Amino acid sequence: MRLFAPGAAYCLLAGIMLAGCNAYEKGHTEYQRPELPQKSDWVGPEAAVQVSANETIQPDWWTGFNDPYLDQLIETALAGNLDLKILAARIDAAEAAIGEERSTLLPSVGANVSAQLQASPLGTTQQFGAQASANWEIDVWGKARKGVQAQTAEYQATEADWRAGYLTMAADLADTYFAIRRLDEQLQRQRSALDKNRRILAIYRQQHQAGLIPDTRIRQQQAEIHGLQDTQVDLVRLRRLAENRLATLLGRPAGDFRVPPATLTDTVSLPVVPAGLPSQLVSRRPDIIAREYRVLQVHHLVGQAHLAKLPGFSLTGNGGFASAVLSGLLGNWSLGLAPAMNIPIFDPGIEARLATREAQERIAEEEYRKTVLLAFEEVENALTNLAARKERLNEVRAQIDQLAQVRNQIDRQVQLGMASQLEVFESERSVLAAQQNLLQLHGQILSDTVTLYKVLGGGWPSTRVH
């Protein structure tokens, strides 16, 4: 009795071959970049100038601030920053993992040498042997090569991660350094305000000795000086905290590094930064590049999961020598060769692994799209902040000009004893507050410029996934 008719067997074979062809085709599907959010142009006022990616920002973009000390700090951080060292070690690990994946394409060979001595009432027996074995899983369908391609994509992603870390480190360092310089200038103006208020106190004391003003005015002026000194102490504290942060970025212990004092406006220039095009942004930002390489990595892993449905071919060989006499090993040998084919007819693990990889691919694609969409938001925000704060800067400068004229008039009145202490306080506080506001805006514009460099990719050359 025949269990299967010839026609049924042919149909079964044809079905297996068709499924195999389908698995092979899906396993070698060409990578297609996922559909991304589209943006025609930037909206921000600063987007009027559009140039190519390489012309927009250079890799050493921080040199545009024309501060040699900042250049020196970043060069030091490139060698000492621990975050960059961690990212570089991950690149090395990813490169080693490529070699590990490639090793699956090569045969494995093992050897065993033995000597056995056994004693019994009948005498002593001995046996010498040497065995060798080799196993090679032949990558007929390219499943192992897909693993190598996936790990290569991960290696390229870790390289992009390093570039993103490099960009973030330089931006953080520049922001921290600018904060220190801004605090230096605030301290300078605070000391100047203290000196002026002390001079006013001296004038009040002379006027009080002459019987022109009451003792309360002197006490009020002394209270004003204490308030200014309190603010000065807090500015010194903030500067030390910023120095500690800078030391960590440089890879040094906090407290072991000090920045020589200098004012922000005297040491740092404000560069003009034009915006780039959205297409250039996508091809330049290292975090976006890393995301796409990870989409490519999962694409290859999905292909590998499809190819796992196909039969596997392996070749096993073994041979050796065995003899009771060591000198007779060469005369007593054996050799075996065993080709094998493994056909996965029913393996639920294969389908489960494929479903997992396909889900991971969808996750990677959505994360890629999200990174691009967030990049558009970051650039628009940076452009908007930069334009608005430049407008505010002009308004505050005009405000200071008016307040300075009022202060000069009150200064002349103080000498004559014609100005009230309230007028003096309001004048000095208004001018100092406006000056500090102007300095704060200048620092924010520098920070916005750094942010714009960062969100545009920092001038990294275009990298494409192949």
Side-chain angles (χ1 to χ4, degrees):
M1 179 180 178
R2 288 183 299 180
L3 296 178
F4 295 100
Y10 292 146
C11 289
L12 179 60
L13 181 60
I16 293 175
M17 292 180 63
L18 181 61
C21 291
N22 186 46
Y24 182 82
E25 183 179 355
K26 288 184 177 179
H28 290 280
T29 303
E30 186 177 354
Y31 169 77
Q32 298 290 333
R33 171 175 287 170
E35 183 179 351
L36 298 175
Q38 298 298 314
K39 182 173 173 61
S40 58
D41 204 348
W42 301 117
V43 178
E46 295 290 329
V49 182
Q50 295 181 342
V51 294
S52 69
N54 290 333
E55 292 172 344
T56 303
I57 310 171
Q58 298 302 315
D60 54 348
W61 49 266
W62 54 84
T63 58
F65 294 102
N66 295 322
D67 188 342
Y69 192 76
L70 173 62
D71 300 343
Q72 177 186 343
L73 287 176
I74 292 183
E75 289 299 322
T76 302
L78 287 176
N81 184 266
L82 295 181
D83 288 331
L84 290 184
K85 290 183 177 181
I86 292 171
L87 292 170
R90 288 176 180 169
I91 293 175
D92 294 338
E95 186 177 18
I98 294 176
E100 184 178 350
E101 287 290 337
R102 284 178 177 159
S103 67
T104 61
L105 295 167
L106 302 175
S108 60
V109 180
N112 178 48
V113 178
S114 64
Q116 182 179 1
L117 298 176
Q118 186 174 357
S120 68
L122 300 177
T124 301
T125 61
Q126 56 186 6
Q127 184 72 24
F128 300 97
Q131 300 289 328
S133 62
N135 184 66
W136 182 25
E137 186 173 349
I138 305 172
D139 190 30
V140 176
W141 315 114
K143 183 175 69 173
R145 290 192 294 274
K146 277 292 180 182
V148 174
Q149 291 172 338
Q151 190 55 50
T152 301
E154 172 60 21
Y155 167 75
Q156 291 166 324
T158 57
E159 286 188 320
D161 287 340
W162 185 91
R163 298 203 302 270
Y166 169 95
L167 183 61
T168 299
M169 181 278 298
D172 289 349
L173 191 148
D175 275 339
T176 305
Y177 173 70
F178 293 154
I180 291 173
R181 289 290 175 245
R182 176 176 53 80
L183 288 166
D184 282 340
E185 192 157 344
Q186 283 182 284
L187 281 166
Q188 185 184 75
R189 293 180 180 180
Q190 198 75 12
R191 295 186 187 103
S192 177
L194 271 169
D195 290 342
K196 185 167 186 178
N197 275 271
R198 290 186 180 112
R199 289 195 298 271
I200 293 174
L201 178 62
I203 293 173
Y204 284 164
R205 282 172 173 165
Q206 292 175 355
Q207 293 174 346
H208 174 67
Q209 290 174 357
L212 299 176
I213 60 174
D215 179 72
T216 55
R217 185 171 291 190
I218 293 177
R219 296 186 181 279
Q220 287 173 336
Q221 185 63 28
Q222 288 174 331
E224 183 72 10
I225 290 173
H226 286 305
L228 290 171
Q229 289 174 333
D230 174 65
T231 302
Q232 178 176 298
V233 170
D234 197 50
L235 290 175
V236 171
R237 176 187 68 85
L238 293 173
R239 190 186 190 280
R240 287 178 179 172
L241 293 179
E243 275 187 328
N244 292 341
R245 174 59 183 158
L246 190 62
T248 301
L249 289 170
L250 294 173
R252 299 183 182 181
D256 289 355
F257 181 78
R258 290 288 178 261
V259 178
T263 59
L264 183 67
T265 53
D266 291 338
T267 57
V268 182
S269 301
L270 183 61
V272 177
V273 185
L277 297 174
S279 60
Q280 297 166 343
L281 168 68
V282 171
S283 65
R284 184 172 64 219
R285 273 186 56 147
D287 59 335
I288 293 177
I289 294 169
R291 283 294 182 192
E292 185 174 4
Y293 273 125
R294 290 195 165 95
V295 173
L296 178 62
Q297 177 191 19
V298 182
H299 170 79
H300 288 310
L301 292 176
V302 169
Q304 188 182 50
H306 278 292
L307 295 174
K309 298 179 179 180
L310 298 173
F313 299 91
S314 62
L315 190 63
T316 302
N318 59 76
F321 303 90
S323 175
V325 182
L326 188 61
S327 60
L329 278 176
L330 297 179
N332 190 9
W333 57 271
S334 64
L335 180 65
L337 188 64
M341 179 175 68
N342 177 35
I343 303 175
I345 297 175
F346 177 73
D347 186 349
I350 292 178
E351 291 298 334
R353 194 174 302 110
L354 176 59
T356 300
R357 296 302 190 198
E358 289 176 339
Q360 291 173 341
E361 185 175 32
R362 291 192 297 272
I363 293 172
E365 289 177 354
E366 294 306 326
E367 287 177 340
Y368 178 35
R369 294 187 183 98
K370 179 183 176 181
T371 303
V372 173
L373 201 61
L374 288 176
F376 291 148
E377 178 187 357
E378 290 170 352
V379 174
E380 285 290 355
N381 289 346
L383 291 171
T384 300
N385 288 335
L386 197 56
R389 282 169 178 151
K390 284 183 177 180
E391 290 183 9
R392 288 185 60 198
L393 194 70
N394 294 330
E395 297 299 330
V396 173
R397 282 172 176 165
Q399 179 191 24
I400 290 176
D401 289 340
Q402 298 297 324
L403 291 173
Q405 294 180 26
V406 174
R407 183 185 61 183
N408 292 337
Q409 292 176 1
I410 293 177
D411 285 345
R412 289 191 292 268
Q413 294 173 0
V414 167
Q415 299 293 335
L416 301 174
M418 299 174 57
S420 68
Q421 194 166 33
L422 180 61
E423 289 176 315
V424 174
F425 286 164
E426 288 181 348
S427 171
E428 288 300 320
R429 289 171 180 171
S430 297
V431 172
L432 181 59
Q435 288 176 338
Q436 301 291 42
N437 189 21
L438 180 69
L439 181 59
Q440 186 78 17
L441 278 172
H442 184 62
Q444 288 175 336
I445 289 173
L446 287 171
S447 180
D448 291 337
T449 304
V450 170
T451 300
L452 187 58
Y453 279 129
K454 179 181 176 181
V455 298
L456 286 175
W460 290 106
S462 177
T463 303
R464 306 288 292 188
V465 173
H466 300 288

